[in-house]
Amino acid sequence: SSLFAMNEHLERIARIVRRLGDFARTSSSEKTDTNISEVLERTVTLLKYDKRTRNIRINENFEKNIPPIRVNPDQLQQVFLNLMLNALDAMEQGGELTIQTRRKDHQVEITFADSGSGIEPSVMDRIFDPFFTTKPLGKGTGLGLSICYGIINDHNGTIHVRSKQGQGATFIIRLPCSSDGYHPEEPDAHDRPDPH
């Protein structure tokens, strides 16, 4: 049926976007004041095209009145999509993905908690390394999480993971609120021309 063809097509696009988007998107670094909940909702809508979400319950716990934060929405959507797709991979038998946002001091915290297979202790320290993947040969490029790490870093944020094997994984992203006089990095003194 044409719906089946469309699904196959979308899956192929998702795979290609996932791989190529990694490189293409990191180059445009326009940051604008962005409503994080909207970006997350858009990403969840995209995710629902993936037929694996049929047996996965997605809970959205978004705190009201989170101030807009200064980010590149495309890059963030890429990070969110990557984390959500990884969560689907970890829940082949179905499960629950809970996405939460809250304001914490001068930061916005975004968490993705899945009820999947969890991450082996032996790989925990390496999951953000470039080219590291636990997926079978040909399935993953291993660039997903290292790109996510790079993007979040570029936004002066942090990304961490908590996981117990067999008990799911939680990825925690913290980004600075732009209302707190966020300033992009000043160039280092030694990069400036010598005044003499």
Side-chain angles (χ1 to χ4, degrees):
S1 76
S2 60
L3 189 65
F4 175 77
M6 188 171 138
N7 251 329
E8 290 293 311
H9 191 55
L10 279 163
E11 264 185 54
R12 212 184 87 239
I13 292 170
R15 275 201 304 275
I16 293 167
V17 164
R18 202 172 171 183
R19 289 188 188 146
L20 298 183
D22 287 345
F23 297 105
R25 290 241 177 96
T26 32
S27 58
S28 97
S29 50
E30 274 293 284
K31 295 186 172 79
T32 51
D33 284 335
T34 304
N35 179 329
I36 282 293
S37 303
E38 277 173 18
V39 178
L40 283 164
E41 274 159 18
R42 253 202 329 267
T43 315
V44 168
T45 305
L46 262 180
L47 193 71
K48 286 183 177 160
Y49 284 113
D50 191 312
K51 58 179 185 286
R52 292 174 299 166
T53 54
R54 262 186 236 144
N55 52 356
I56 287 179
R57 196 181 134 155
I58 300 175
N59 307 312
E60 299 177 23
N61 304 336
F62 300 156
E63 196 173 280
K64 299 267 176 287
N65 310 324
I66 282 189
I69 59 176
R70 196 165 193 79
V71 295
N72 177 313
D74 280 348
Q75 290 183 345
L76 269 207
Q77 180 162 10
Q78 187 190 330
V79 170
F80 298 160
L81 189 60
N82 236 307
L83 294 176
M84 291 180 197
L85 287 168
N86 283 350
L88 291 194
D89 285 341
M91 297 188 285
E92 280 173 9
Q93 265 55 69
E96 243 176 89
L97 171 61
T98 301
I99 305 164
Q100 194 169 2
T101 62
R102 61 185 182 142
R103 181 158 183 180
K104 218 180 154 186
D105 305 323
H106 302 301
Q107 293 181 316
V108 173
E109 186 180 84
I110 307 145
T111 53
F112 296 84
D114 69 60
S115 62
S117 46
I119 300 165
E120 285 183 40
S122 62
V123 307
M124 280 287 273
D125 293 340
R126 297 163 62 202
I127 61 167
F128 293 111
D129 293 356
F131 305 112
F132 177 76
T133 181
T134 55
K135 294 185 183 142
L137 198 62
K139 272 282 193 240
T141 54
L143 287 169
L145 285 175
S146 70
I147 299 276
C148 291
Y149 184 88
I151 289 172
I152 297 301
N153 217 8
D154 180 55
H155 283 80
N156 294 335
T158 59
I159 178 167
H160 294 290
V161 61
R162 279 201 305 262
S163 179
K164 277 207 177 83
Q165 211 177 342
Q167 292 180 36
T170 301
F171 282 85
I172 303 124
I173 293 173
R174 294 194 182 99
L175 293 164
C177 294
S178 36
S179 56
D180 301 320
Y182 158 80
H183 298 293
E185 294 285 290
E186 280 281 306
D188 283 331
H190 59 74
D191 291 339
R192 295 190 188 123
D194 198 296
H196 300 306

Coordinates of all heavy atoms in Angstrom, one line a residue, residues 32-44 60-63 65-77 79-80 84 99-103 107-112 152 155 173-178:
T32 N 18.9 31.8 18.3 CA 17.8 32.8 18.5 C 17.0 32.4 19.8 O 17.1 31.2 20.2 CB 16.7 32.7 17.3 OG1 16.4 31.4 17.1 CG2 17.3 33.3 16.1
D33 N 16.3 33.3 20.4 CA 15.5 33.0 21.5 C 14.4 32.0 21.1 O 13.6 32.2 20.3 CB 14.9 34.2 22.1 CG 15.9 35.0 22.9 OD1 16.9 34.4 23.3 OD2 15.8 36.3 23.0
T34 N 14.4 30.8 21.8 CA 13.6 29.7 21.3 C 12.8 29.1 22.5 O 13.3 29.0 23.6 CB 14.6 28.6 20.8 OG1 15.4 29.2 19.8 CG2 13.8 27.4 20.3
N35 N 11.6 28.7 22.1 CA 10.7 28.0 23.1 C 11.1 26.5 23.0 O 10.7 25.9 22.0 CB 9.3 28.3 22.7 CG 8.3 27.6 23.6 OD1 8.6 26.5 24.2 ND2 7.1 28.1 23.8
I36 N 11.7 26.0 24.0 CA 12.2 24.6 24.1 C 11.0 23.6 24.0 O 11.2 22.6 23.3 CB 13.0 24.4 25.3 CG1 14.4 25.0 25.2 CG2 13.2 22.9 25.7 CD1 15.3 24.4 24.2
S37 N 9.9 23.9 24.6 CA 8.8 23.0 24.6 C 8.3 22.8 23.1 O 8.0 21.7 22.7 CB 7.6 23.5 25.4 OG 8.1 23.7 26.7
E38 N 8.3 23.9 22.4 CA 7.8 23.8 21.0 C 8.8 22.9 20.2 O 8.3 22.1 19.4 CB 7.7 25.2 20.4 CG 6.4 25.9 20.7 CD 6.4 27.3 20.2 OE1 7.2 27.7 19.3 OE2 5.6 28.1 20.7
V39 N 10.1 23.1 20.4 CA 11.0 22.3 19.6 C 10.9 20.8 20.0 O 10.9 19.9 19.1 CB 12.5 22.7 19.9 CG1 13.5 21.8 19.2 CG2 12.7 24.2 19.5
L40 N 10.6 20.5 21.3 CA 10.4 19.1 21.7 C 9.2 18.6 21.1 O 9.2 17.4 20.7 CB 10.4 19.1 23.3 CG 11.7 19.2 24.0 CD1 11.6 19.5 25.4 CD2 12.6 17.9 23.8
E41 N 8.1 19.4 21.1 CA 6.8 18.9 20.6 C 7.0 18.6 19.1 O 6.4 17.6 18.6 CB 5.7 19.9 20.8 CG 5.1 19.7 22.2 CD 4.3 21.0 22.7 OE1 4.0 21.9 21.8 OE2 4.1 21.1 23.9
R42 N 7.7 19.5 18.4 CA 7.9 19.2 16.9 C 8.7 17.9 16.7 O 8.4 17.2 15.8 CB 8.8 20.4 16.4 CG 8.0 21.3 15.5 CD 8.8 22.2 14.6 NE 10.2 22.5 14.9 CZ 10.5 23.6 15.6 NH1 9.6 24.5 15.9 NH2 11.8 23.9 15.8
T43 N 9.6 17.7 17.6 CA 10.5 16.5 17.4 C 9.7 15.2 17.7 O 9.8 14.2 17.0 CB 11.7 16.6 18.4 OG1 12.3 17.9 18.3 CG2 12.8 15.6 18.0
V44 N 8.8 15.3 18.8 CA 8.0 14.1 19.1 C 7.0 13.8 17.9 O 6.8 12.7 17.5 CB 7.2 14.4 20.4 CG1 6.1 13.3 20.6 CG2 8.1 14.4 21.6
E60 N 5.0 13.7 28.1 CA 5.7 15.0 28.0 C 5.3 15.8 29.3 O 4.2 16.1 29.5 CB 5.1 15.7 26.8 CG 5.5 15.0 25.5 CD 4.9 15.7 24.3 OE1 4.6 16.9 24.3 OE2 4.7 15.0 23.2
N61 N 6.3 16.0 30.1 CA 6.1 16.8 31.4 C 6.9 18.1 31.2 O 8.0 18.2 31.6 CB 6.6 16.0 32.6 CG 6.0 14.6 32.8 OD1 4.9 14.4 32.3 ND2 6.7 13.8 33.4
F62 N 6.2 19.0 30.6 CA 6.9 20.3 30.3 C 6.5 21.3 31.3 O 5.3 21.6 31.5 CB 6.6 20.8 28.9 CG 7.1 19.9 27.8 CD1 6.5 19.9 26.5 CD2 8.1 18.9 28.0 CE1 6.9 19.0 25.5 CE2 8.5 18.1 27.0 CZ 7.9 18.1 25.8
E63 N 7.5 21.9 32.0 CA 7.1 22.9 33.0 C 6.6 24.2 32.3 O 7.1 24.6 31.2 CB 8.4 23.3 33.8 CG 8.2 24.0 35.1 CD 9.5 24.2 35.9 OE1 9.8 23.2 36.5 OE2 10.1 25.2 35.8
N65 N 5.9 28.1 31.6 CA 6.6 29.4 31.8 C 8.1 29.3 31.9 O 8.8 30.0 32.5 CB 6.2 30.1 33.2 CG 4.7 30.2 33.3 OD1 4.0 30.4 32.2 ND2 4.2 30.0 34.4
I66 N 8.7 28.3 31.1 CA 10.1 28.3 31.0 C 10.5 29.4 30.0 O 9.9 29.5 29.0 CB 10.6 26.9 30.5 CG1 10.6 25.9 31.7 CG2 12.0 27.0 29.9 CD1 11.2 24.6 31.5
P67 N 11.4 30.2 30.4 CA 11.7 31.4 29.5 C 12.4 30.9 28.2 O 13.0 29.8 28.2 CB 12.8 32.2 30.4 CG 13.4 31.2 31.3 CD 12.3 30.2 31.6
P68 N 12.2 31.6 27.2 CA 12.9 31.2 25.9 C 14.4 31.2 26.2 O 14.9 32.0 27.0 CB 12.6 32.4 24.9 CG 11.6 33.2 25.6 CD 11.5 32.9 27.1
I69 N 15.1 30.3 25.5 CA 16.5 30.2 25.7 C 17.2 30.4 24.4 O 16.6 30.0 23.3 CB 17.0 29.0 26.5 CG1 16.6 27.7 25.8 CG2 16.5 29.0 27.9 CD1 17.2 26.5 26.4
R70 N 18.4 31.0 24.4 CA 19.1 31.4 23.2 C 19.8 30.2 22.6 O 20.9 29.8 23.2 CB 20.0 32.5 23.5 CG 20.5 33.2 22.2 CD 21.1 34.6 22.5 NE 21.3 35.3 21.3 CZ 20.3 35.9 20.7 NH1 19.0 35.9 21.2 NH2 20.4 36.6 19.5
V71 N 19.3 29.5 21.6 CA 19.9 28.3 21.1 C 19.7 28.3 19.5 O 19.0 29.2 19.0 CB 19.2 27.1 21.6 CG1 19.4 26.9 23.1 CG2 17.7 27.0 21.3
N72 N 20.3 27.4 18.9 CA 20.1 27.1 17.5 C 19.0 26.0 17.4 O 19.3 24.9 17.8 CB 21.4 26.7 16.8 CG 21.1 26.3 15.4 OD1 20.2 25.6 15.0 ND2 22.0 26.8 14.5
P73 N 17.8 26.4 17.1 CA 16.7 25.4 17.2 C 16.9 24.1 16.3 O 16.6 23.0 16.7 CB 15.4 26.1 16.7 CG 15.9 27.5 16.2 CD 17.3 27.7 16.6
D74 N 17.5 24.3 15.1 CA 17.8 23.1 14.3 C 18.8 22.2 14.9 O 18.6 21.0 14.9 CB 18.5 23.6 12.9 CG 17.5 24.1 12.0 OD1 16.2 23.9 12.2 OD2 17.9 24.7 11.0
Q75 N 19.8 22.7 15.5 CA 20.8 21.9 16.1 C 20.2 21.2 17.3 O 20.5 20.0 17.6 CB 22.0 22.7 16.6 CG 22.9 23.2 15.4 CD 24.1 23.9 15.9 OE1 24.2 24.3 17.0 NE2 25.0 24.2 15.0
L76 N 19.4 21.9 18.1 CA 18.8 21.3 19.3 C 17.8 20.2 18.9 O 17.8 19.1 19.5 CB 18.1 22.3 20.1 CG 18.9 23.0 21.2 CD1 18.0 23.4 22.4 CD2 20.0 22.0 21.8
Q77 N 17.1 20.5 17.8 CA 16.1 19.4 17.4 C 16.9 18.2 17.0 O 16.4 17.1 17.2 CB 15.3 20.0 16.2 CG 14.3 18.9 15.7 CD 13.2 19.5 14.8 OE1 13.2 20.6 14.4 NE2 12.2 18.6 14.5
V79 N 19.7 17.2 18.3 CA 20.1 16.5 19.5 C 18.9 15.7 20.1 O 19.0 14.5 20.4 CB 20.6 17.5 20.6 CG1 20.8 16.8 21.9 CG2 21.9 18.1 20.1
F80 N 17.7 16.4 20.1 CA 16.5 15.7 20.7 C 16.2 14.5 19.9 O 15.8 13.4 20.5 CB 15.4 16.7 20.8 CG 15.6 17.9 21.6 CD1 14.8 19.1 21.5 CD2 16.6 17.9 22.6 CE1 15.0 20.2 22.3 CE2 16.8 19.0 23.4 CZ 16.0 20.2 23.2
M84 N 16.0 10.6 21.2 CA 14.7 9.9 21.1 C 14.8 8.6 20.3 O 14.3 7.6 20.6 CB 13.6 10.8 20.5 CG 13.2 11.9 21.5 SD 11.9 12.9 20.7 CE 11.9 14.4 21.7
I99 N 9.8 12.7 28.7 CA 10.6 13.8 28.4 C 10.1 14.9 29.3 O 8.9 15.2 29.5 CB 10.3 14.3 26.9 CG1 10.6 13.1 26.0 CG2 11.2 15.5 26.6 CD1 10.1 13.3 24.6
Q100 N 11.1 15.5 30.0 CA 10.7 16.5 31.1 C 11.6 17.8 30.9 O 12.8 17.7 30.6 CB 11.0 15.9 32.4 CG 10.4 16.6 33.6 CD 10.5 15.8 34.9 OE1 11.1 14.7 34.9 NE2 10.0 16.3 35.9
T101 N 11.0 18.9 31.1 CA 11.7 20.2 31.2 C 11.4 20.9 32.5 O 10.3 20.8 33.0 CB 11.3 21.1 30.0 OG1 9.9 21.5 30.2 CG2 11.5 20.5 28.7
R102 N 12.4 21.5 33.0 CA 12.2 22.3 34.2 C 13.3 23.4 34.3 O 14.4 23.2 33.8 CB 12.1 21.5 35.5 CG 13.4 20.7 35.8 CD 13.2 19.8 37.0 NE 14.4 19.1 37.3 CZ 14.9 18.9 38.5 NH1 14.1 19.3 39.6 NH2 16.0 18.3 38.8
R103 N 12.9 24.4 35.0 CA 13.9 25.5 35.2 C 14.6 25.2 36.6 O 13.9 24.9 37.5 CB 13.2 26.8 35.3 CG 14.3 27.9 35.5 CD 13.8 29.3 35.0 NE 14.9 30.2 35.2 CZ 14.9 31.4 35.0 NH1 13.8 32.0 34.4 NH2 15.9 32.2 35.2
Q107 N 19.4 27.7 34.9 CA 19.5 26.7 33.8 C 18.1 26.1 33.4 O 17.2 26.1 34.3 CB 20.4 25.6 34.1 CG 21.9 26.0 34.2 CD 22.8 24.9 34.6 OE1 22.4 24.0 35.4 NE2 23.9 24.8 33.9
V108 N 18.0 25.6 32.2 CA 16.8 24.8 31.8 C 17.4 23.4 31.7 O 18.4 23.1 31.1 CB 16.2 25.3 30.5 CG1 15.2 24.3 30.0 CG2 15.7 26.7 30.7
E109 N 16.7 22.5 32.4 CA 17.1 21.1 32.4 C 16.1 20.3 31.6 O 14.8 20.4 31.8 CB 17.1 20.6 33.8 CG 17.6 19.2 34.0 CD 17.7 18.7 35.4 OE1 16.6 18.2 35.9 OE2 18.7 18.9 36.0
I110 N 16.6 19.5 30.6 CA 15.7 18.7 29.8 C 16.2 17.2 29.9 O 17.3 16.9 29.8 CB 15.9 19.1 28.3 CG1 15.7 20.6 28.1 CG2 14.9 18.3 27.4 CD1 16.5 21.2 27.0
T111 N 15.2 16.4 30.4 CA 15.6 15.0 30.6 C 14.8 14.0 29.7 O 13.6 14.3 29.4 CB 15.4 14.5 32.0 OG1 14.1 14.8 32.4 CG2 16.4 15.2 33.0
F112 N 15.5 13.0 29.2 CA 14.9 12.0 28.4 C 15.1 10.7 29.1 O 16.3 10.2 29.2 CB 15.6 11.9 27.0 CG 15.5 13.1 26.2 CD1 16.3 14.2 26.4 CD2 14.5 13.2 25.2 CE1 16.2 15.4 25.6 CE2 14.3 14.4 24.5 CZ 15.2 15.5 24.7
I152 N 25.7 20.6 22.3 CA 25.4 21.1 23.7 C 26.5 21.9 24.3 O 26.3 23.0 24.9 CB 25.0 19.9 24.6 CG1 23.7 19.2 24.1 CG2 24.7 20.4 26.0 CD1 22.5 20.1 23.9
H155 N 26.6 25.3 23.0 CA 25.6 26.1 23.6 C 25.9 26.4 25.1 O 25.0 26.8 25.9 CB 24.2 25.4 23.5 CG 23.6 25.5 22.1 ND1 24.0 24.7 21.1 CD2 22.7 26.3 21.6 CE1 23.3 25.0 20.0 NE2 22.5 26.0 20.3
I173 N 20.1 17.1 29.9 CA 20.8 18.2 29.2 C 20.5 19.5 30.1 O 19.4 19.7 30.5 CB 20.2 18.4 27.8 CG1 20.5 17.3 26.9 CG2 20.6 19.8 27.2 CD1 19.9 17.3 25.6
R174 N 21.5 20.3 30.3 CA 21.3 21.5 31.0 C 21.8 22.7 30.1 O 23.0 22.6 29.7 CB 22.0 21.6 32.4 CG 21.4 20.5 33.3 CD 21.9 20.8 34.8 NE 21.3 19.7 35.6 CZ 22.0 18.6 36.0 NH1 23.2 18.5 35.6 NH2 21.4 17.8 36.8
L175 N 21.0 23.7 29.9 CA 21.4 24.8 29.1 C 21.2 26.1 29.9 O 20.2 26.2 30.7 CB 20.5 24.8 27.8 CG 20.7 23.7 26.9 CD1 19.6 23.6 25.9 CD2 22.0 23.9 26.1
P176 N 22.0 27.1 29.7 CA 21.9 28.3 30.4 C 20.7 29.1 29.9 O 20.4 29.2 28.8 CB 23.2 29.1 30.2 CG 23.7 28.5 28.9 CD 23.2 27.1 28.8
C177 N 20.0 29.8 30.9 CA 18.9 30.7 30.5 C 19.5 32.0 29.9 O 20.4 32.5 30.5 CB 18.0 31.1 31.7 SG 17.2 29.7 32.4
S178 N 18.9 32.4 28.8 CA 19.5 33.6 28.1 C 19.3 34.9 28.9 O 20.0 35.9 28.7 CB 19.1 33.7 26.7 OG 17.8 33.3 26.6

